[in-house]
Amino acid sequence: MANQDPIKVGVLFSNTGTTSAVERSQLAGTLFAIEEINAAGGIDGREIQPVHRDPHCNPREFRILAEELVQQEKVNVIFGCYMSSTRKAVIPVVEKWQRLLMYPTLYEGFEFSRNVIYTGAAPNQNSSLLAAYMTRHFGARVYLVGSDYIYPYESNRIMSDFILERPGGSKLAERYVGLNASAQEFRKIAEDIRDKQPDFVFSTVVGSGTQLLYRAYAEAGIDPSSCPIASLTTSEAEVAEMGAELAAGHITAAPYFQSLDSPVNRDVLMRFRDRFGYETPPNMCWEAAYFQVFLFARAMAQSGSDEIDQLLPHLLGSEFEAPQGKVRVDESNHHTRLYPRIGRVDSRGQFEIIAESTRGVDADPYLVHHEVDDSSDYGSLLGEIIG
Ligand code: ACM
């Protein structure tokens, strides 16, 4: 008789802690995909059984719980991690035990592990576009503000390079605040921004600090229509936390926005709301969390095993018709072809898409094609998409 045993998979997203709003949406996206796959018969009749642990946005807990999922629950695949510090904590575990981490979050790039599939944006799929769009429409004098950990430091380094390559490009300041910084700290930064008068602000602040930054910005009286905050992480989840009024007019680069008007997206949103209601706001990290479970399930249906050596040949090169468009996992770098877009928050807290790629863009995690000048291949793509 065919194997009927459930397939246990590890799920590591936080229900509490500074980035829990977006991690809860990643958890919902993961569980939603698992439910849909199970309702359609599972993987060759075998049900996917999620084993969720809450690591409280803490890298040490991520490492301990990943170890526990592998050792005690015997999972071969883990869906998880938002902050890069937590991914960096889990990678040694999956590398030591030859397990697979599927990571549905934009990050700073400059990484490869055979034991990771990266389904969020690398810098060439969000930052380069954002730099080109912002410098064209607002100017190249930028103020950088971020949370104090690896993703903001590295992303600001990359954004600085893009900005300093532009005519008149300059960095007016680069400030960091703790992950649990106070409203007062953000007020000081907003006042400094008002005094320095940049063309735009690039924020790599994550989690609950995001709403404090946008609130302080509004209270300092800075007008987002002339000097917006541009971000890679302020998604519908963070906008829902702060409210549409504070977010309106600010800009985010991402491969997916809830507002995307495509048949696949409309359908997925309808099914998600039927099952999960309106509490969880679909966003770029929710979408990656959703589609990566399908990538896994299809690869496993072909390989008959969830062990990394059997799974990888089927995952690499695989494609899926995701809400953002048809995505594809690259054979050589384990990152995913995505659809760069730029959105501006409207008065309802939704993103109006103001620029988008006409085609999928392969990840270039080491930024081999670094220039954003119009003579490069990359420049010609930008030329197509900038609205
Ligand atoms: C992140 O830390 N990769 C958002």
Side-chain angles (χ1 to χ4, degrees), residues 82-84 87 103 105-108 149 151 206 233:
Y82 177 77
M83 278 190 279
S84 290
R87 182 191 71 259
Y103 177 59
T105 309
L106 70 302
Y107 85 112
E108 63 281 359
Y149 76 103
Y151 154 76
V206 301
T233 48

Side-chain angles (χ1 to χ4, degrees), residues 284-363:
M284 58 176 129
C285 297
W286 168 89
E287 191 243 9
Y290 173 76
F291 77 66
Q292 69 171 15
V293 180
F294 283 88
L295 289 171
F296 156 76
R298 289 186 175 186
M300 184 170 169
Q302 289 165 357
S303 70
S305 166
D306 65 352
E307 286 180 21
I308 187 164
D309 289 343
Q310 273 82 299
L311 204 54
L312 271 186
H314 297 278
L315 258 177
L316 300 179
S318 67
E319 297 184 338
F320 182 70
E321 203 64 64
Q324 67 174 279
K326 189 192 273 184
V327 298
R328 178 180 192 282
V329 182
D330 187 275
E331 290 89 338
S332 61
N333 63 31
H334 288 206
H335 289 61
T336 307
R337 178 183 297 161
L338 302 172
Y339 294 78
R341 296 183 164 98
I342 293 178
R344 181 174 53 215
V345 184
D346 69 15
S347 59
R348 297 166 305 132
Q350 290 298 318
F351 283 90
E352 180 198 353
I353 297 171
I354 52 178
E356 73 184 310
S357 175
T358 52
R359 58 177 166 86
V361 173
D362 288 324

